């Protein structure tokens, strides 16, 4: 799992004489957004973003919102929130968790005990994937470099499933249960438990 956003990424949005931290704006956004992070509702996201900018920054009626701001609310922040939800699923099930990536993981007290190291060499990556029984992936699409990399190194990939996670062309090339495993928010514990009882099967998947 890649690291969540880091405190240093809490930039400030400004308009006229008003300023608001992006995290504060996003927390307000989450209070109103009812689409969840599982199925992204772009229309609803845009509507709430405009409402909040008007309320908190006196954003002028009809003024265009710069694409970078819209993209943050449409894609980046929901993805970060999803990351936290997936980690919570894992920790509710087991504390046998290793987190790899940037050392910004250590800026989050709840994740700090599980952080291992940054991996970038082929040998490090191979060791990481092959010594982890279930390598968890979230976000869409599954054709993320890390997901393909995991399968390429022979790691057992356990990927969060959504309507956008597995495009049709992906299914023509990869078979669930042979190249990867999928889970959703409701069945994670059952899927993880079933495969952890079959370590030899996990080693064959990838």
């Amino acid at each position: 799992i890649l690291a969540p956003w880091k405190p240093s990424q809490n930039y400030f949005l400004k308009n006229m004489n008003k300023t608001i931290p992006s995290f504060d704006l996003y927390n307000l956004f989450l209070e109103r957004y009812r689409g969840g992070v599982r199925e992204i509702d772009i229309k609803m996201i845009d509507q709430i973003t405009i409402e909040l900018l008007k309320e908190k920054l006196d954003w002028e009626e009809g003024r265009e919102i710069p694409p970078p701001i819209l993209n943050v609310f449409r894609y980046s922040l929901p993805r970060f929130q999803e990351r936290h939800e997936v980690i919570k699923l894992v920790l509710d099930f087991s504390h046998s968790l290793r987190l790899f990536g940037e050392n910004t993981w250590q800026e989050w007290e709840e994740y700090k005990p599980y952080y291992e190291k940054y991996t970038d060499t082929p040998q490090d990556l191979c060791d990481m994937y092959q010594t982890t029984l279930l390598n968890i992936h979230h976000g869409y699409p599954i054709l993320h470099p890390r997901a393909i990399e995991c399968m390429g190194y022979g790691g057992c990939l356990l990927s969060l499933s959504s309507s956008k996670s597995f495009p049709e062309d992906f299914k023509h090339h990869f078979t669930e249960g042979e190249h990867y495993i999928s889970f959703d928010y409701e069945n994670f514990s059952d899927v993880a438990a079933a495969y952890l009882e079959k370590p030899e099967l996990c080693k064959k998947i990838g």
Side-chain angles (χ1 to χ4, degrees), residues 1-117:
I1 307 174
L2 300 177
W5 69 75
K6 51 189 176 183
S8 61
Q9 290 175 293
N10 187 15
Y11 56 87
F12 292 85
L13 297 173
K14 298 180 180 180
N15 185 48
M16 309 293 281
N17 295 320
K18 292 194 173 183
T19 302
I20 185 170
S22 59
F23 284 8
D24 290 356
L25 194 64
Y26 186 57
N27 285 333
L28 292 171
F29 172 85
L30 285 179
E31 291 175 5
R32 303 187 189 190
Y33 182 59
R34 294 293 176 264
V37 297
R38 305 173 189 186
E39 299 296 336
I40 304 301
D41 186 331
I42 297 296
K43 186 175 181 180
M44 186 188 299
I45 287 176
D46 290 356
Q47 180 182 341
I48 296 173
T49 302
I50 291 171
E51 289 175 359
L52 288 173
L53 289 175
K54 286 180 179 178
E55 292 174 20
K56 302 301 178 182
L57 293 176
D58 292 336
W59 200 263
E60 298 87 344
E61 183 71 38
R63 180 182 174 187
E64 182 181 0
I65 299 177
I69 294 179
L70 278 180
N71 287 338
V72 165
F73 283 91
R74 285 176 174 179
Y75 307 114
S76 298
L77 291 177
R79 180 169 55 87
F80 294 147
Q81 187 68 22
E82 179 184 78
R83 190 166 296 166
H84 286 288
E85 289 195 16
V86 170
I87 295 176
K88 184 178 185 305
L89 276 181
V90 175
L91 293 178
D92 285 347
F93 172 75
S94 170
H95 286 264
S96 180
L97 172 68
R98 299 189 301 170
L99 300 171
F100 294 86
E102 300 289 347
N103 62 11
T104 48
W105 276 113
Q106 299 184 85
E107 296 181 23
W108 297 80
E109 288 301 320
E110 61 267 46
Y111 304 141
K112 193 173 182 178
Y114 308 101
Y115 178 71
E116 289 285 323
K117 63 179 181 176

Side-chain angles (χ1 to χ4, degrees), residues 78-199:
R79 180 169 55 87
F80 294 147
Q81 187 68 22
E82 179 184 78
R83 190 166 296 166
H84 286 288
E85 289 195 16
V86 170
I87 295 176
K88 184 178 185 305
L89 276 181
V90 175
L91 293 178
D92 285 347
F93 172 75
S94 170
H95 286 264
S96 180
L97 172 68
R98 299 189 301 170
L99 300 171
F100 294 86
E102 300 289 347
N103 62 11
T104 48
W105 276 113
Q106 299 184 85
E107 296 181 23
W108 297 80
E109 288 301 320
E110 61 267 46
Y111 304 141
K112 193 173 182 178
Y114 308 101
Y115 178 71
E116 289 285 323
K117 63 179 181 176
Y118 180 77
T119 54
D120 61 350
T121 68
Q123 188 59 56
D124 279 348
L125 291 169
C126 184
D127 291 344
M128 175 184 70
Y129 290 126
Q130 293 191 3
T131 60
T132 302
L133 210 53
L134 297 173
N135 294 276
I136 299 172
H137 172 69
H138 81 96
Y140 57 82
I142 192 176
L143 292 172
H144 184 281
R146 286 290 186 186
I148 300 301
E149 184 179 79
C150 176
M151 291 189 287
Y153 275 108
C156 182
L157 179 69
L158 178 59
S159 180
L160 175 63
S161 175
S162 77
S163 63
K164 299 179 182 179
S165 294
F166 300 94
E168 285 303 316
D169 58 346
F170 175 85
K171 297 176 182 178
H172 291 316
H173 301 285
F174 300 98
T175 303
E176 182 165 6
E178 180 180 350
H179 301 109
Y180 69 94
I181 311 164
S182 69
F183 72 93
D184 57 40
Y185 288 95
E186 286 70 37
N187 70 6
F188 172 79
S189 294
D190 292 339
V191 172
Y195 279 94
L196 288 174
E197 290 178 357
K198 304 172 182 176

